[in-house]
Amino acid sequence: MDAQTLRSTIKTSRDLMRKDEGLSSDVERLPQFSWMLFLKCFHDHEVKREKNSKKYTRILPNNLRWEYWTNPKNIPDSKLIAFVNKTLFPELADLDKNCDSSQKQHIASMFKGFKNSVQSPNILRQIVEKI
């Protein structure tokens, strides 16, 4: 993704988030966009490492991987917000449980205590599709 595409994605996402009742200011919208962008970038990083090394094993369980939970066939819009709030965030926050992986510890520390504020599954779906 080049800089212009990233700027466009950010602008479109901000415009979408302005329509969500749970996000009333940019101070609230920026962290919400950041967790989505982080998970997409991490996904791309893991895919690249997996292609470059047959020994690489992804650290996220299948159900927490970007390509799984962003796919409407796996998580329909009607269940997307509940999945993010009750599965994705809690399981990411617990990644470091009984683990010595620094990557898992870093991801867990990012998601501990963090809450999703996006209330509209349609808006969330549109943002992840844009990303």
Side-chain angles (χ1 to χ4, degrees), residues 40-60 65 101-104 107:
K40 173 60 169 132
C41 290
F42 188 74
H43 161 75
D44 291 349
H45 167 77
E46 287 212 307
V47 168
K48 184 178 179 180
R49 288 197 61 191
E50 199 172 50
K51 286 180 182 177
N52 292 335
S53 171
K54 296 180 188 224
K55 294 181 181 180
Y56 182 76
T57 304
R58 293 192 196 188
I59 68 165
L60 294 181
R65 293 179 185 169
S101 165
S102 62
Q103 282 185 319
K104 285 185 179 183
I107 292 169

Side-chain angles (χ1 to χ4, degrees), residues 13-20 23 29 33 36 127:
S13 299
R14 284 177 62 202
D15 291 345
L16 286 167
M17 286 189 216
R18 283 188 178 102
K19 299 174 187 175
D20 190 276
L23 303 167
R29 290 186 282 269
F33 179 72
M36 292 177 240
I127 294 167

Side-chain angles (χ1 to χ4, degrees), residues 5-125:
T5 304
L6 180 60
R7 277 194 293 274
S8 173
T9 300
I10 292 169
K11 182 183 179 332
T12 301
S13 299
R14 284 177 62 202
D15 291 345
L16 286 167
M17 286 189 216
R18 283 188 178 102
K19 299 174 187 175
D20 190 276
E21 292 182 19
L23 303 167
S24 60
S25 71
D26 278 339
V27 171
E28 294 169 332
R29 290 186 282 269
L30 182 61
Q32 296 305 308
F33 179 72
S34 296
W35 73 257
M36 292 177 240
L37 186 61
F38 169 78
L39 289 176
K40 173 60 169 132
C41 290
F42 188 74
H43 161 75
D44 291 349
H45 167 77
E46 287 212 307
V47 168
K48 184 178 179 180
R49 288 197 61 191
E50 199 172 50
K51 286 180 182 177
N52 292 335
S53 171
K54 296 180 188 224
K55 294 181 181 180
Y56 182 76
T57 304
R58 293 192 196 188
I59 68 165
L60 294 181
N62 288 340
N63 70 320
L64 303 183
R65 293 179 185 169
W66 178 268
E67 72 268 25
Y68 177 82
W69 69 267
T70 60
N71 185 333
K73 292 178 184 175
N74 297 326
I75 310 288
D77 287 357
S78 62
K79 296 181 180 180
L80 183 59
I81 298 296
F83 174 82
V84 168
N85 293 341
K86 296 177 183 176
T87 303
L88 184 66
F89 276 31
E91 289 186 23
L92 288 171
D94 280 344
L95 272 181
D96 62 346
K97 205 174 192 178
N98 303 318
C99 168
D100 61 352
S101 165
S102 62
Q103 282 185 319
K104 285 185 179 183
Q105 291 170 354
H106 182 70
I107 292 169
S109 70
M110 290 174 57
F111 284 89
K112 278 190 189 352
F114 192 76
K115 293 184 180 183
N116 170 49
S117 298
V118 180
Q119 294 179 1
S120 167
N122 296 328
I123 289 173
L124 181 55
R125 180 73 67 201

